[in-house]
Amino acid sequence: MTGIAAPRMRGGPMPSIAPSDRLTHVELTWVEKQIEYWIRFGDHAQETILDRRRRVLSFRPGTVFAFVRWASNDFGTIISRIDIVRAVQPGEAYQTLPFVRPGGDILLKIESWPKVERVLQLIDVIEAMTLDPAAAAPDYWRHVHNRLTAGHEPRSYTRAQHEAWLKRRRIAP
């Protein structure tokens, strides 16, 4: 790989935003038909434009977002991945993830285009139910991760499951 993608494809250092803030920062890059990193869902708290190809979206603790990464070279796709992540509180344990600082609670981590496409379809189904995928039960995203990783079809998210999640969240400390 050469050109603009070489240093960033290995997850090199991300430009400093504000090291002491409480936000989770995600660097997005868009170089048409080469590197396309985007947020599929999730409400960001702030946006910092670095240049015409890169920007950083920042998420408040507790926010769930879907981070999609796709890249190709002269021979075809080299990465196709989706991660559904919950932004963490300062001091809370987290997993690291390229282009995400400091990291987050990874609810789903899927690679390969057929599986990524299936996750995107499941997100579309949730949105068709007029629900925000970021508000879906975290256990559902873990279920989707486990089923797709094992090569099985995940169950669909239901309105009853969503209502149960909302009630559980209200009574949990």
Side-chain angles (χ1 to χ4, degrees), residues 19-24 59-62 86-94 102-103:
S20 63
D21 68 14
R22 302 171 43 88
L23 303 176
T24 297
F59 297 88
R60 288 185 179 87
R86 182 183 59 82
V88 295
Q89 296 279 352
E92 185 179 354
Y94 60 86

Side-chain angles (χ1 to χ4, degrees), residues 2 7 12 19 25 28 30 42 45 51 58 60 62 83 100 112 135 138 155 160 163-164:
T2 61
H25 306 284
L28 305 176
W30 190 273
D51 56 47
S58 302
R60 288 185 179 87
D83 298 283
V100 178
S112 87
R155 290 184 295 275
E163 293 299 324

Side-chain angles (χ1 to χ4, degrees), residues 119-173:
V119 172
L120 293 172
Q121 291 167 352
L122 292 168
I123 292 168
D124 290 341
V125 168
I126 291 172
E127 289 176 334
M129 294 170 39
T130 65
L131 297 175
D132 180 5
D139 291 342
Y140 177 70
W141 298 121
R142 290 182 180 107
H143 159 77
V144 172
H145 166 85
N146 292 334
R147 297 289 291 189
L148 290 175
T149 300
H152 298 286
E153 182 63 23
R155 290 184 295 275
S156 295
Y157 193 66
T158 64
R159 191 165 294 280
Q161 185 178 6
H162 187 67
E163 293 299 324
W165 159 243
L166 294 177
K167 288 177 182 176
R168 192 170 72 221
R169 193 172 66 179
R170 273 196 300 266
I171 62 171

Side-chain angles (χ1 to χ4, degrees), residues 72-78:
S72 72
N73 61 17
D74 293 340
F75 302 103
T77 298
I78 55 175

